[in-house]
């Protein structure tokens, strides 16, 4: 039981959390359900001496298992779905032509549109449902009707296609509603993820996203990182002089410069805490990282935001360090080195860059 819970939880997480192809996951779910139902039906048919029907349901179970294993291994959802649609169309057609179990097996044909919409996109599902309807009409309302066994009543032959069409309309409406709600769920999930990883004031990334970045980085292996730790000079004095609302505007202005300069580069910018910011540069040379730090320093000072301290304008101090990161310990050492370099920059008079790139 615990295995089944873990198995289906994994499938649902792929669909809703990891954003794996929804239809691929649904095809795999259908294969599991189809294999289970087919195995049960095979056993029951054999017990009732319905050997032909038992053979057909047994073959369908094998097909479901094979398609499940194929899509799980290759991820080629479309090929698996098209194969499943053709197999089901052929199998359901045999049920109608064979008139098995006094004609009741033919009712499985009405499920064909629902299955198509479950495992295919909208247009292919409509196409295959139309093909199924054409096969049904050809068998029931043309001279081919004489090839059918006598188990079907005239009333059944007249109503069966309308039952199929009714299920098609229901499946189309249900699929449209499902696709819309699933799309909205994805949008809301992406928005929630974005907001949870973003600092509300500065729109930079927050410490939660930094932790995710670190984990993703370590999973990929080693990487050369340059860390820039920034701190707004005399920020407490600025708040005391101009007020906290003005202080918030300063933080947003500084963050705007960081975002503008780091846009398009292999970097992340984080509000590390209070008036402190962190920029991590990846796939950058030492000279490029040093030039980036100097440009940040001058661009922020050139905002010309008045301040009673320093040289009359808001400025920042920057500590910089570099390291090849292969473990969490090395990642934390990189940040600690940048923090120590920032302290040195403040001790050296502020509005400067301190630290070395090794």
């Amino acid at each position: 039981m615990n295995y089944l819970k873990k198995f289906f939880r994994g499938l649902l997480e792929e669909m809703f959390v990891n954003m794996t192809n929804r239809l691929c996951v649904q095809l795999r779910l259908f294969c599991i359900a189809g294999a289970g139902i087919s195995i049960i039906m095979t056993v029951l048919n054999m017990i009732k001496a319905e050997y032909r029907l038992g053979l057909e349901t047994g073959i369908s179970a094998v097909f479901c298992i094979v398609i499940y294993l194929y899509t799980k291994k290759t991820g080629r959802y479309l090929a698996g779905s098209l194969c499943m649609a053709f197999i089901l169309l052929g199998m359901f057609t045999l049920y109608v032509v064979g008139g098995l179990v006094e004609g009741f097996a033919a009712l499985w044909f009405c499920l064909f549109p629902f299955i198509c919409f479950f495992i295919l996109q909208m247009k292919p599902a409509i196409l295959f449902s139309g093909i199924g309807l054409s096969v049904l009409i050809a068998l029931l309302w043309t001279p081919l009707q004489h090839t059918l066994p006598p188990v079907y009543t005239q009333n059944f032959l007249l109503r069966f296609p309308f039952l199929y069409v009714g299920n098609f309309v229901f499946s189309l409406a249900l699929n449209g509603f499902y696709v819309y709600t699933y799309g909205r769920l994805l949008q809301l999930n992406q928005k929630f993820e974005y907001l949870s990883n973003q600092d509300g004031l500065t729109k930079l990334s927050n410490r939660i996203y930094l932790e995710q970045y670190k984990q993703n980085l370590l999973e990929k292996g080693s990487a050369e990182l340059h860390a820039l730790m920034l701190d707004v000079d005399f920020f407490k004095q600025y708040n005391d002089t101009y007020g906290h609302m003005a202080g918030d505007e300063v933080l947003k202005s500084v963050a705007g410069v960081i975002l503008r300069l780091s846009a398009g580069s292999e970097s992340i910018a984080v509000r590390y805490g209070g008036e402190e910011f962190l920029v991590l540069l990846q796939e950058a040379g030492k000279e490029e990282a040093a030039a980036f730090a100097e440009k940040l320093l001058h661009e922020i000072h050139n905002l010309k935001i008045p301040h009673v301290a320093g040289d009359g304008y808001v400025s920042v101090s920057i500590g910089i360090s570099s390291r090849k990161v292969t473990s969490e310990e090395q990642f934390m050492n990189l940040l600690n080195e940048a923090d120590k370099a920032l302290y040195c920059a403040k001790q050296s008079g502020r509005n400067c860059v301190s630290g070395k790139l090794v």
Side-chain angles (χ1 to χ4, degrees):
M1 185 62 70
N2 288 333
Y3 173 78
L4 289 176
K5 287 182 179 179
K6 184 178 180 181
F7 176 78
F8 285 106
R9 185 182 300 161
L11 284 176
L12 293 174
E13 284 181 354
E14 283 186 1
M15 188 187 302
F16 294 107
V17 180
N18 300 330
M19 305 306 174
T20 303
N21 188 319
R22 171 181 62 87
L23 290 171
C24 183
V25 177
Q26 288 178 189
L27 173 63
R28 290 163 60 188
L29 284 171
F30 175 78
C31 288
I32 295 167
I37 293 171
S38 297
I39 291 171
I40 294 172
M41 293 297 294
T42 301
V43 173
L44 293 176
N45 289 326
M46 290 302 179
I47 293 173
K48 294 169 60 179
E50 295 283 351
Y51 298 116
R52 178 185 165 186
L53 190 57
L55 177 62
E56 291 176 358
T57 53
I59 293 173
S60 70
V62 173
F63 276 124
C64 286
I65 294 171
V66 169
I67 291 175
Y68 172 83
L69 295 175
Y70 171 77
T71 53
K72 183 179 180 181
K73 183 178 180 180
T74 65
R76 297 178 65 182
Y77 135 78
L78 185 57
S81 295
L82 292 176
C83 286
M84 179 62 75
F86 278 115
I87 290 168
L88 290 174
L89 181 60
M91 186 176 68
F92 292 158
T93 301
L94 285 176
Y95 287 173
V96 176
V97 174
L100 299 171
V101 196
E102 298 178 348
F104 289 111
L107 292 174
W108 284 96
F109 203 104
C110 292
L111 288 177
F112 187 63
F114 180 81
I115 296 170
C116 288
F117 280 107
F118 190 73
I119 64 176
L120 290 166
Q121 293 181 343
M122 182 78 76
K123 290 182 179 179
I126 293 174
L127 174 63
F128 272 91
S129 297
I131 293 172
L133 180 60
S134 300
V135 170
L136 195 59
I137 291 174
L139 289 173
L140 303 182
W141 290 0
T142 69
L144 289 175
Q145 176 183 346
H146 299 296
T147 64
L148 299 178
V151 294
Y152 301 111
T153 65
Q154 192 63 30
N155 189 43
F156 178 84
L157 296 178
L158 289 173
R159 295 188 179 186
F160 194 25
F162 293 103
L163 180 62
Y164 181 94
V165 171
N167 189 52
F168 166 76
V169 173
F170 172 76
S171 300
L172 179 63
L174 185 64
N175 181 261
F177 174 76
Y178 175 57
V179 170
Y180 171 77
T181 54
Y182 182 82
R184 286 290 297 157
L185 177 63
L186 287 183
Q187 290 177 358
L188 291 173
N189 188 57
Q190 291 169 355
K191 184 177 181 180
F192 174 75
E193 184 178 2
Y194 175 74
L195 292 175
S196 65
N197 292 329
Q198 186 187 68
D199 176 64
L201 177 66
T202 62
K203 308 306 178 186
L204 297 177
S205 300
N206 57 20
R207 297 285 287 269
I208 297 175
Y209 182 77
L210 178 63
E211 184 65 24
Q212 295 177 4
Y213 174 85
K214 178 186 70 176
Q215 296 300 328
N216 293 335
L217 185 73
L218 297 179
E219 287 175 5
K220 294 178 182 178
S222 62
E224 185 74 23
L225 282 182
H226 306 290
L228 284 71
M229 196 76 76
L230 295 77
D231 188 272
V232 180
D233 297 327
F234 304 109
F235 188 68
K236 184 180 183 304
Q237 188 174 352
Y238 188 94
N239 276 338
D240 293 341
T241 304
Y242 300 98
H244 288 279
M245 292 184 65
D248 288 346
E249 292 301 318
V250 167
L251 295 178
K252 288 194 283 187
S253 298
V254 171
V257 174
I258 296 172
L259 280 174
R260 176 165 53 84
L261 295 184
S262 60
S265 63
E266 290 289 331
S267 65
I268 65 164
V270 181
R271 186 183 180 188
Y272 201 66
E275 71 274 20
E276 198 168 7
F277 303 91
L278 170 68
V279 179
L280 291 175
L281 297 176
Q282 191 177 350
E283 305 296 336
K286 297 178 176 61
E287 294 79 9
E288 185 180 352
F292 182 84
E294 291 291 343
K295 189 170 182 62
L296 266 179
L297 189 77
H298 293 299
E299 289 283 335
I300 292 171
H301 189 264
N302 287 339
L303 292 173
K304 300 298 183 182
I305 302 174
H307 195 351
V308 294
D311 64 353
Y313 298 107
V314 168
S315 62
V316 296
S317 300
I318 302 177
I320 187 170
S321 67
S322 69
R323 178 180 286 269
K324 189 173 184 179
V325 174
T326 59
S327 66
E328 184 167 358
E329 181 181 3
Q330 291 177 337
F331 185 88
M332 298 310 299
N333 288 338
L334 174 73
L335 300 190
N336 289 333
E337 290 166 3
D339 193 54
K340 291 177 181 177
L342 173 60
Y343 178 79
C344 292
K346 287 187 171 294
Q347 293 298 311
S348 301
R350 295 180 170 83
N351 192 23
C352 64
V353 178
S354 179
K356 60 180 181 178
L357 300 172
V358 296

